[in-house]
Amino acid sequence: MEKSSQALAYLFAAYSVIWIIIAIYLLIMGEKISRLRKDLENLEESLKKK
Amino acid sequence: MEKWNKKIDYFLFLLAFISLLVALYLTFIYSRIEKEMGIIQKIFYFHVPGAWVAFLAFFIVFIASILFLKNKDIKMDIISHASAEVGIYFCTITLITGPIWGRIAWGKWWDWLEPRLDTYLVLWALYIGYLVLRNAVEDDFRRARFAAVYGIVAFADVPLVIISILFLRKFMPHPGPIIFSRGGLTPDMKLAFFVSLFAFTVLFILLLRRRIFLLRIEEEIKNLKNKLGR
């Protein structure tokens, strides 16, 4: 019984790992998107100045 | 930039979301608990699809790298870059869920004498190296060429991992030989496994498409900056 509940905890941990890793990936992508937006804004400003 | 079909992305998102929910139900409720390994066997329903997606991603890197060297098309370089990056995340999922299963099934997290584990760890390190290499080279074309050669050579480890999973069996059980042998899985387990495989593949295609889209925008911005002399 103890081993079975331990296995269940490990199973839950393993399943969570997937979504933690995917969430980390999406966060990094979100960061990249905001950086690209900033780059685009800067480019627009320099185009206006020109 | 060429027109990007967002409808495909929306469709993939919906498909991934629904299939992941169905996979969740089939894995934890519908499929039976395996007699020998117990409930921990259910890790296979996402550990193996994770490995499959990583192999698929690295295969795309391999093919796109060959095509880049042949046609010098920068789009192929973008595809291989995106695929390697997304593939690493799935490779990491497999690399973490494997030892969690091993802790219960084998009584230890890792066995350095297991060729299956070692070759897979090497695979992960190889593609981390691929991304490090991409960051290390400044010139776009040189970077693409080096990365393409590296992407082709690194793929040599994938058949080694598959061979070690299927044929180099030590005393420890592994899902690969069970799944690929006849009568290894009952119909309900097979259903859970293949739906999960499908869901992971759709999720991968979605993430890959989004990453390619972002890399293309990055490329466009870089070109614009060059034109403006910044």
Side-chain angles (χ1 to χ4, degrees), chain B:
Chain B
M1 195 168 79
E2 286 166 41
K3 235 184 163 186
W4 188 267
N5 195 341
K6 276 191 176 175
K7 277 182 187 166
I8 296 176
D9 289 348
Y10 290 135
F11 171 72
L12 284 171
F13 176 77
L14 202 68
L15 193 61
F17 184 74
I18 293 168
S19 55
L20 281 166
L21 277 183
V22 175
L24 185 69
Y25 168 77
L26 292 175
T27 299
F28 291 103
I29 297 167
Y30 178 75
S31 67
R32 73 188 68 185
I33 294 171
E34 209 258 344
K35 278 178 200 163
E36 270 181 50
M37 290 184 221
I39 201 161
I40 201 71
Q41 179 268 346
K42 286 181 187 282
I43 282 185
F44 291 168
Y45 301 123
F46 38 93
H47 172 77
V48 180
W52 146 255
V53 165
F55 291 154
L56 177 67
F58 300 147
F59 181 66
I60 292 171
V61 176
F62 175 68
I63 296 294
S65 299
I66 291 173
L67 290 175
F68 173 79
L69 290 179
K70 198 178 164 221
N71 306 326
K72 306 282 180 275
D73 183 358
I74 205 74
K75 275 184 205 158
M76 290 300 128
D77 180 56
I78 287 176
I79 291 173
S80 47
H81 181 185
S83 195
E85 221 179 86
V86 180
I88 287 225
Y89 284 89
F90 284 94
C91 197
T92 308
I93 286 173
T94 315
L95 212 54
I96 296 175
T97 53
I100 291 175
W101 171 79
R103 180 70 186 83
I104 295 289
W106 301 344
K108 52 182 164 182
W109 297 101
W110 195 271
D111 183 354
W112 289 105
L113 294 175
E114 266 295 332
R116 298 173 295 209
L117 304 183
D118 299 338
T119 50
Y120 202 80
L121 183 64
V122 168
L123 185 75
W124 181 81
L126 277 171
Y127 284 90
I128 292 282
Y130 175 89
L131 295 180
V132 171
L133 174 79
R134 293 199 70 97
N135 279 327
V137 184
E138 281 282 319
D139 180 70
D140 285 355
F141 190 73
R142 274 185 72 196
R143 179 179 55 232
R145 213 167 35 141
F146 286 166
V149 174
Y150 189 105
I152 293 167
V153 176
F155 188 72
D157 192 45
V158 172
L160 287 179
V161 178
I162 296 170
I163 289 167
S164 62
I165 288 170
L166 295 179
F167 304 112
L168 299 179
R169 285 194 230 177
K170 268 187 69 185
F171 56 91
M172 292 158 169
H174 190 272
I178 296 168
I179 286 158
F180 296 113
S181 66
R182 280 186 189 176
L185 290 177
T186 55
D188 54 318
M189 291 161 107
K190 260 186 199 158
L191 183 68
F193 173 72
F194 284 109
V195 169
S196 195
L197 198 70
F198 175 78
F200 268 66
T201 309
V202 176
L203 180 66
F204 163 70
I205 296 169
L206 173 68
L207 294 176
L208 179 65
R209 274 183 62 87
R210 296 311 297 167
R211 189 66 190 110
I212 291 171
F213 179 67
L214 272 185
L215 281 170
R216 280 197 189 179
I217 293 175
E218 275 177 37
E219 192 70 24
E220 286 287 314
I221 289 176
K222 207 194 290 172
N223 289 340
L224 275 173
K225 275 183 181 173
N226 285 341
K227 274 182 194 166
L228 288 167
R230 292 180 69 193

